[in-house]
Amino acid sequence: MDPCGACNFKCKFCPCNNSDYLSQQRHEVMDMELFQKILADIEEFPQQIKVINLYGFGEPLLHRNYVEMAKEIKDRNLCRELRCTTNGYMLSPELNRKLVSTGIDMIRISVEALTNEDYGDICDVSMDFNKFVENIRDLYEVSRGTNTKVSVKILNVALRDEKDAEHFYDIFEPISDYTYIQDTTQAWAEFEAYVPKGNYEAGNIGDMMDEDKICSFSLTNMAIHSNGSVGVCPQDWKFATEYGNVRKTALLELWNSKKLRGFQIAHLSGNRRKIPYCRDCDVCVSNDDVRKYADKIIERIKHA
């Protein structure tokens, strides 16, 4: 669920602020009336949602009501786990305490560089890196003894060598519950990502898609954009996999819709390369491999 499609960074590897394609729609901020409608729709599902990721393509903390949104999701017990991913720029002692007080389960911070200069080069943003680190340290400390976990990751494009990697771990391992380096991949179909050569190599979170691997996103995920568009894939920055809009149709109805069922069956039948947008995607960030069960799942879908 994307509270805010706009972002205060212009990272070279991300299409958010590097493409004019449907930029007005992509950069919308979710209004609270739509948010309340989404929560009411979630309550109609027969089982509790496992995870709500309260973020999407933009910087979620730009939404002035983000704390209120997170608190209401937790207070209404709408999911087993509530997660946030942020670039961390807006963290502060005051906001940290508000975020932790909501009961949010995971706050993931994407570190994009290790110096002010590199932040300027990669993200086109003026950064006080020392203050940034201290705000993360404060978040970690205030979250101790609570339900909130803190995760910090960096992309390998920000690291020049093993020394940089060690420096990253030296800074952030003491102030986070989970700390890791992620390889940059062509995660955004139909977007030319910034992937410099010769950078530090890391274990990739998300595998390059095997030619015959079935993407399971449509079976497990629902991407609700800040403008109300509902699609299959959290990597779909173009709304290309949209199968409805929550402003017009209830989420449960969309989840059981013929359009989504047809999309699921197409993937399960091995026709990913025939589907627009999906045919140009080479990344599968889901670990589920459903190939051996595809026929059984198709039958279940057809008789649902």
Side-chain angles (χ1 to χ4, degrees):
M1 188 193 312
D2 191 359
C4 178
C7 188
N8 49 354
F9 283 17
K10 193 177 180 181
C11 302
K12 293 179 178 179
F13 51 80
C14 176
C16 183
N17 284 320
N18 288 297
S19 173
D20 294 329
Y21 183 82
L22 296 179
S23 59
Q24 184 174 346
Q25 295 94 317
R26 288 191 293 108
H27 294 165
E28 281 193 33
V29 176
M30 183 178 287
D31 62 76
M32 293 303 287
E33 182 179 356
L34 174 59
F35 175 72
Q36 290 296 335
K37 201 270 186 182
I38 291 169
L39 298 199
D41 282 3
I42 289 174
E43 289 181 321
E44 294 180 359
F45 280 79
Q47 295 179 329
Q48 185 188 44
I49 302 298
K50 292 180 179 178
V51 176
I52 292 179
N53 294 304
L54 193 58
Y55 65 91
F57 295 108
E59 169 50 45
L61 297 185
L62 287 176
H63 199 297
R64 63 182 182 180
N65 299 116
Y66 189 87
V67 170
E68 176 187 338
M69 297 166 102
K71 185 176 188 303
E72 185 160 4
I73 290 172
K74 292 297 291 185
D75 287 350
R76 290 167 69 165
N77 197 30
L78 295 179
C79 59
R80 188 185 305 170
E81 186 172 342
L82 178 63
R83 301 172 184 168
C84 168
T85 294
T86 170
N87 60 36
Y89 188 87
M90 299 183 67
L91 293 176
S92 67
E94 180 182 5
L95 180 57
N96 293 344
R97 281 149 183 79
K98 290 180 179 179
L99 287 170
V100 172
S101 72
T102 67
I104 193 168
D105 297 276
M106 175 71 74
I107 301 176
R108 293 180 175 135
I109 300 152
S110 295
V111 176
E112 311 300 355
L114 297 178
T115 67
N116 297 336
E117 291 75 20
D118 285 345
Y119 257 101
D121 178 53
I122 296 173
C123 306
D124 194 21
V125 67
S126 176
M127 172 67 82
D128 183 338
F129 186 73
N130 291 330
K131 181 179 178 181
F132 173 71
V133 171
E134 287 308 306
N135 283 332
I136 295 174
R137 186 188 310 278
D138 178 80
L139 174 64
Y140 178 74
E141 291 175 353
V142 78
S143 67
R144 298 307 86 188
T146 74
N147 192 53
T148 304
K149 301 295 183 184
V150 178
S151 173
V152 176
K153 68 98 173 174
I154 194 169
L155 292 172
N156 68 316
V157 294
L159 305 173
R160 295 175 178 84
D161 49 34
E162 185 68 33
K163 185 176 180 180
D164 271 0
E166 291 175 359
H167 185 47
F168 166 73
Y169 284 118
D170 286 344
I171 295 172
F172 293 105
E173 270 194 325
I175 57 174
S176 58
D177 296 288
Y178 308 98
T179 319
Y180 61 97
I181 299 169
Q182 179 181 349
D183 271 346
T184 302
T185 57
Q186 293 285 3
W188 311 104
E190 301 178 5
F191 174 73
E192 185 97 25
Y194 167 75
V195 186
K197 296 180 180 179
N199 287 89
Y200 177 82
E201 294 184 4
N204 185 34
I205 307 300
D207 300 322
M208 295 306 290
M209 184 84 81
D210 295 341
E211 190 63 30
D212 64 340
K213 189 172 182 179
I214 296 168
C215 180
S216 63
F217 270 139
S218 64
L219 302 172
T220 59
N221 287 264
M222 172 181 279
I224 307 171
H225 298 272
S226 55
N227 65 353
S229 168
V230 178
V232 168
C233 179
Q235 302 297 130
D236 175 14
W237 64 283
K238 284 190 162 184
F239 309 121
T241 64
E242 179 184 88
Y243 55 93
N245 194 298
V246 67
R247 292 186 187 275
K248 302 176 182 178
T249 311
L251 290 177
L252 185 57
E253 183 178 343
L254 289 173
W255 183 248
N256 292 314
S257 65
K258 289 183 178 179
K259 190 170 184 179
L260 177 58
R261 293 289 181 257
F263 191 94
Q264 292 169 333
I265 290 172
H267 268 268
L268 289 164
S269 301
N271 292 317
R272 176 171 58 89
R273 293 298 184 189
K274 297 180 181 179
I275 303 172
Y277 189 82
C278 294
R279 67 185 171 211
D280 296 315
C281 177
D282 290 317
V283 176
C284 182
V285 294
S286 169
N287 291 322
D288 298 320
D289 190 346
V290 299
R291 280 175 282 196
K292 66 171 70 174
Y293 308 109
D295 290 341
K296 291 182 179 180
I297 298 173
I298 289 173
E299 287 304 309
R300 289 180 62 182
I301 290 173
K302 288 181 176 178
H303 295 95

